[in-house]
Amino acid sequence: MSSTTDSVHSVSSDEFATLIEKELEWNSSEDEDDIESDRIKRRKVEELDNAEESQEATSIAMVPQTSDGAVNLETCLHQAPIFGGMCSLCGQFVKDHPAVSLGYIHKHLKVGTEEMNRIRGSDLKSLLRGRKLILVLDLDHTLLNSTRIDDVSAEEEYLIKQADSLQDIPNGSLFKVDMIRMLTKLRPFVRTFLKEASSLFELFIYTMGERFYATWMAKLLDPEETYFNEKVISKDDCTQEHRKSLDVVLGADNAVLILDDTEAVWSRHRENLILMDRYHFFASSGRPFGHSGKSLSELKRDENEKDGALATVLEVLKRIHEMFFTQEYASNPTNADVRKVLKKIRAEVLKDCRLVFSRVWKLGERPHNQRLWEMAQQLGATCDTELDESVTHVVSTDTGTDKARWAVQHKNFLVHPRWIEAANYLWRRQPEEQFSVNQIKK
Amino acid sequence: MFFHIVLERNMQLHPRHFGPHLRDKLVAKLMKDVEGTCSGRHGFVVAITGVDNIGKGLIRDGTGFVTFPVKYQCVVFRPFKGEILEAVVTMVNKMGFFAEAGPVQIFVSNHLIPDDMEFQAGDVPNYTTSDGSVKIQKESEVRLKIIGTRVDATEIFCIGTIKDDFLGVINDPGASS
């Protein structure tokens, strides 16, 4: 053993080269995982040892000894993370072992499915013991809004001068990041949000942006690296194009909540998703989504800090966390599922509402497939196609339909479809008067 | 392990360097080109310690560049299986920890961390024994054993273990501060 820790050996390069060659040969032939070659290898190593009797050779001869320890080289199933193409249990090279790349932790780290499940399982236990859940956060339109500096409109030019210094990130909210030529505005309340959420959740960032962008944004949101330490997942890590999936997140699905403004990317994890109202600060950001009016930046306004989207959702998250640990986890610790809690809380929003839709979608389309219908049902409302006494709300875009007139006659609520969307984002039944059909003309 | 070896390299030099300082230029360029690089064969070149011999230059047709065969001594570092290394922890997570010994990146999976050490999440993720006496976190110094190596053109990767006698933390910044 002592020979290996000696620091500098003087060897001629020829001698060294032959030694290295043998060692490399040893490595490459190791790929064929059979006992026969292994035996030959050992013999070769022993020969080498005898022939040269140099100190270096002893270090190679030690290798088979490692197999006498905890790990058996021949029977290793490689159920451990794979680093640089090597199994981290036995150190052998592994090929064709199905594994997900976790590039956001280390460029050369991969983890197989069984190992992933094992890590998730053991992690879940310690997570729940610490009364924490996992929260996956989207960046753009959820926590912040960015625009390319080239896309800044004339009316927004003033912002570039106002940008906060990158030397003092914790106190700023508008940053000009020259390295990526971006102007970024953090959503109001985001710092408080992260601080409070981090005490209840383990936080991840999951964005469709490039890694370089994502790390910059993480730096702006978390300059001290207390929340997102090595948990920033970007486009480069996605296993499927244009899809986000929890398969690269080191967390069990039943303990994960997702905050995102785009539902479509999470098609496999809708039950974990809390949909966010999009934050459009810059003019260039709203345009692709069909916003034609002036942007917040042009109006020199911003989302309200106290009852903005992040403050609202933080309250919801707190309720979910509370309910999860006081009811769900307390009654059934082994199968506790945060998705059930989310569903339950969501279903309280429009409880006791009985909706009938009128002229919201085209005649002849199946109402059950409609997004609004589905959304209303998830929010706890009962949806119907025919009018009767128990109906409380008629959802319509037009006051002229039969159903709309019925609602007015019977003094029931006649609301615009946006009423449902608002309730979905704000997690509260909204005052119907603000969503009457006449007022909202779009 | 470190080795002091003699290597050879063909250096191309621009004609503008021809003059009384040609040799110095050549050595400076050699250091810039070679130090800090890796070769799968020899490992990481730590430092050039001397130039043994500079051969006769050969003028290239067309470009005017001159190729000199240079023999030089250098210290190289190459990890071997079974070797014991001391390394600094760079990152700790649920799966294990990453450590660095100079240019070498080492991963120690939690399978190969002693069973009595458990992962603790938080601001400073770490592995700690149940009595709290031993802690592995970022910046900790550990002694580990290499069980697998891969030397690429520019990087060296290793798999390590600390699940053996006399391995583990040798200096803990968290405890001393």
Side-chain angles (χ1 to χ4, degrees), chain A residues 216-270:
Chain A
W216 259 107
M217 294 303 115
K219 203 184 276 179
L220 297 181
L221 290 167
D222 178 23
E224 319 265 305
E225 291 192 8
T226 47
Y227 311 134
F228 304 118
N229 208 357
E230 293 125 27
K231 288 180 292 185
V232 182
I233 304 168
S234 58
K235 192 169 100 186
D236 315 38
D237 305 305
C238 290
T239 47
Q240 268 178 299
E241 227 179 328
H242 309 304
R243 284 271 178 283
K244 292 182 180 180
S245 169
L246 293 179
D247 53 6
V248 292
V249 177
L250 281 173
D253 290 8
N254 58 348
V256 178
L257 288 173
I258 302 163
L259 229 54
D260 204 320
D261 63 289
T262 318
E263 196 176 359
V265 292
W266 286 107
S267 53
R268 278 171 55 206
H269 302 282
R270 283 226 174 102

Side-chain angles (χ1 to χ4, degrees), chain B residues 105-140:
Chain B
Q105 301 180 57
I106 307 150
F107 176 62
V108 178
S109 139
N110 63 4
H111 296 276
L112 298 179
I113 293 173
D115 294 330
D116 63 336
M117 296 194 88
E118 218 174 293
F119 178 70
Q120 318 280 332
D123 291 358
V124 187
N126 60 76
Y127 282 87
T128 315
T129 50
S130 49
D131 61 353
S133 61
V134 183
K135 190 185 254 184
I136 297 177
Q137 62 187 42
K138 198 175 168 175
E139 307 290 317
S140 293

Side-chain angles (χ1 to χ4, degrees), chain A residues 1 4 7-11 13 16-17 20-21 23-24 26-27 30 56 59 62-63 66 71 79-81 83-91 93 102 105-109 111 115 118-119 123 129 202 226 229-230 250, chain B residues 1-7 40-42 75-76 78-84 90-95 98 105-107 109-112 118-119 121-123 125 138 145-150 152 155 157-160 163:
Chain A
M1 203 59 91
T4 57
S7 49
V8 180
H9 299 264
S10 280
V11 214
S13 78
F16 181 69
I20 299 285
E21 251 161 45
E23 153 79 332
L24 290 175
W26 209 89
N27 271 345
E30 197 173 61
E56 288 72 43
S59 81
M62 274 169 49
V63 174
T66 52
V71 180
Q79 290 191 354
F83 178 60
M86 294 173 285
C87 164
S88 65
L89 207 54
C90 62
F93 286 90
L102 297 182
I105 297 177
H106 193 288
K107 205 166 63 184
H108 298 277
L109 188 73
V111 179
E115 174 67 6
R118 194 194 64 83
I119 296 170
D123 177 54
R129 231 184 294 135
E202 197 187 314
T226 47
N229 208 357
E230 293 125 27
L250 281 173
Chain B
M1 208 180 298
F2 291 96
F3 298 93
H4 194 197
I5 56 169
V6 178
L7 292 176
R41 206 175 153 98
H42 300 101
V75 175
V76 293
R78 190 183 189 284
F80 289 89
K81 283 189 192 180
E83 187 179 348
I84 309 289
T90 53
M91 187 199 298
V92 179
N93 59 40
K94 296 163 193 175
M95 282 170 291
F98 290 90
Q105 301 180 57
I106 307 150
F107 176 62
S109 139
N110 63 4
H111 296 276
L112 298 179
E118 218 174 293
F119 178 70
D123 291 358
K138 198 175 168 175
K145 185 157 92 179
I146 305 289
I147 59 166
T149 65
R150 185 176 119 188
D152 276 5
E155 291 165 302
F157 306 107
C158 288
I159 302 290
K163 204 177 190 175

Side-chain angles (χ1 to χ4, degrees), chain A residues 290-313:
Chain A
H291 290 244
S292 49
K294 294 230 170 200
S295 70
L296 289 171
S297 58
E298 286 166 339
L299 296 167
K300 302 199 179 182
R301 278 171 46 202
D302 204 348
E303 217 177 71
N304 194 336
E305 179 138 354
K306 279 204 196 77
D307 53 7
L310 283 175
T312 315
V313 86

